[in-house]
Amino acid sequence: MRPLILVASAVIALAAPAVAESPNDAPVAAAVAAPTRTPANVARDRYRHPAETLAFFGVKPGDTIVELWPGGGWYTEILAPLSTSGGGTLYAAAPWAKGLNRIKQWQGAKPDVYGAIKLAEFPATGAGPTVPDGSADVVLTFRNIHNWRFGGKDNVAEAFRQIYAMLKPGGVLGIEEHRLPEDMDSALEEKSGYMKRSSIIGFAEAAGFELAGESDINANAKDTHDYPGGVWTLPPSLAEGDKDRAKYLAIGESDRMTLKFVKPAH
């Protein structure tokens, strides 16, 4: 392994705070254990560590939570019962309206579980309702910033600007993203699905955020980050099909950084 990677890993490991127990741990654990979660999603907890990740971000059941680009709803299955348990509010925000189709289907099929989720457009273009400015306690996005990056740096900058606006002063932005080692070519961010820690911090700080903490909860030292087909070579996508399937299953899901930013209270 290249020396710079070792140095970066050491710095991150030293900076990563332990996830301490808090009064919010029990409701988060209950939401992770919700019987409404699909077995296939539960099987991926060993890679995604949802209880530890949400505890690190400080998510509370009474919060106004915004999940950006929920996609297939992996985290939505946890956030919906968590929010309901504490009388909080959960927004699912994505491109209007196709990006919210899965959530809409769930709302129709299981209104008791997902019916209270508010739907919003993100990034806002005027096509749909938005998360009101200054209303969110926490905004979460899981493995999505690379998608914004594919649309260009200006798109990422605008996304962070809109996130900053929707948060209350003192509010938290929690990011989990596929990690591109700092000594690899930055051009890979445009196609590989991996992002550099420095890039994400740069976009966040330019929007006004302050880095409040980082953790290796979702790190994976087995990930070599150098697949011609990008991060989708690894589970759960396994884009190569049966080619080297056992090898990629042994690696597991990607190496991910977990970053916590705060909107300054002043």
Side-chain angles (χ1 to χ4, degrees):
M1 186 175 289
R2 290 174 286 270
L4 285 178
I5 296 178
L6 289 173
V7 171
S9 298
V11 170
I12 291 171
L14 288 170
V19 179
E21 291 187 4
S22 77
N24 302 314
D25 289 349
V28 169
V32 170
T36 48
R37 295 186 66 204
T38 56
N41 283 349
V42 172
R44 288 156 69 181
D45 285 1
R46 65 190 180 112
Y47 299 118
R48 300 190 170 185
H49 314 100
E52 296 87 345
T53 300
L54 293 176
F56 176 69
F57 292 145
V59 181
K60 302 183 292 296
D63 284 344
T64 294
I65 303 166
V66 181
E67 183 185 8
L68 302 177
W69 289 34
W74 195 92
Y75 258 100
T76 313
E77 285 191 344
I78 298 169
L79 293 172
L82 176 63
S83 179
T84 299
S85 73
T89 299
L90 175 61
Y91 283 88
W96 194 265
K98 186 177 179 180
L100 296 164
N101 283 348
R102 175 65 62 88
I103 307 303
K104 289 180 179 178
Q105 291 170 2
W106 287 2
Q107 288 183 318
K110 297 181 179 180
D112 55 326
V113 181
Y114 303 110
I117 298 175
K118 295 186 177 183
L119 305 182
E121 182 187 26
F122 179 82
T125 68
T130 59
V131 178
D133 286 355
S135 66
D137 295 293
V138 58
V139 175
L140 304 171
T141 190
F142 303 97
R143 304 168 308 282
N144 280 316
I145 297 178
H146 63 276
N147 291 311
W148 310 342
R149 180 66 182 84
F150 294 162
K153 291 183 178 180
D154 288 347
N155 285 11
V156 185
E158 176 61 16
F160 273 89
R161 188 196 67 76
Q162 292 188 19
I163 295 168
Y164 189 88
M166 67 178 67
L167 277 164
K168 299 174 181 177
V172 169
L173 166 60
I175 293 173
E176 178 199 321
E177 181 58 280
H178 311 292
R179 175 168 32 213
L180 183 68
E182 291 294 324
D183 67 337
M184 294 184 74
D185 187 356
S186 295
L188 290 170
E189 292 184 340
E190 300 174 9
K191 59 182 180 180
S192 71
Y194 291 96
M195 291 285 298
K196 289 188 176 183
R197 170 184 177 274
S198 59
S199 294
I200 291 178
I201 292 174
F203 283 118
E205 290 182 343
F209 286 103
E210 296 176 354
L211 180 64
E214 52 192 301
S215 174
D216 270 344
I217 295 168
N218 298 300
N220 181 1
K222 296 179 181 178
D223 184 0
T224 58
H225 316 87
D226 59 356
Y227 318 103
V231 71
W232 307 277
T233 304
L234 298 177
S237 298
L238 292 168
E240 297 290 328
D242 289 334
K243 180 182 177 183
D244 293 326
R245 185 181 184 89
K247 169 186 173 182
Y248 298 130
L249 286 172
I251 293 172
E253 294 195 15
S254 69
D255 175 36
R256 294 161 184 168
M257 58 190 132
T258 306
L259 305 175
K260 179 179 179 179
F261 295 93
V262 173
K263 178 176 180 175
H266 53 274

